[in-house]
Amino acid sequence: LGFCFTAHTIWGRRLFGFDTFWGTIIATLMMINGNVDLERMSNDDGVWTVIFVVLFFFIFSFFLMNAFTAIMIESMYKVFMSSGNDPKDQNVYWNRDRWMRWMCPQLCMNLAKACRGRN
């Protein structure tokens, strides 16, 4: 809501879509999808447009990334707890080779092993 109040204060008197508070909420939600006319906003107030858009996208992206990470960690925790995994089990923790097998295709792994074998 802070971004909505700020946008309404900056562009509310001069730009259509920001003239009412509910219109500002809708316009701010449209910004999330990328449906925003930055040229029209910057023609009205260029400095505040840059500040607002940069802060909005960084803070909102950070919020979404943290929410996604929290959901994934909570899901992983529930799966580990419900499947009866022992945290002291060595198969839970991955070593370097296991990570490399997971990240790289088999062709890359074979090339890496061949290069290590020559040296």
Side-chain angles (χ1 to χ4, degrees), residues 54-103:
V54 168
L55 284 176
F56 179 76
F57 283 113
F58 277 122
I59 290 172
F60 200 76
S61 299
F62 182 74
F63 171 74
L64 285 179
M65 185 58 72
N66 280 337
F68 175 74
T69 304
I71 291 169
M72 294 302 292
I73 289 172
E74 179 68 20
S75 299
M76 185 182 79
Y77 175 74
K78 285 182 180 180
V79 167
F80 274 152
M81 295 307 287
S82 65
S83 64
N85 284 332
D86 183 15
K88 296 177 183 174
D89 186 11
Q90 292 300 317
N91 291 330
V92 175
Y93 301 106
W94 286 15
N95 58 14
R96 182 177 174 270
D97 289 334
R98 196 165 178 188
W99 277 108
M100 291 303 290
R101 278 194 310 253
W102 176 75
M103 288 189 311

Side-chain angles (χ1 to χ4, degrees), residues 3-13 18-22 24:
F3 282 107
C4 295
F5 282 121
T6 305
H8 182 67
T9 303
I10 296 170
W11 299 290
R13 296 183 191 183
F18 293 95
D19 50 350
T20 65
F21 186 68
W22 292 110
T24 305

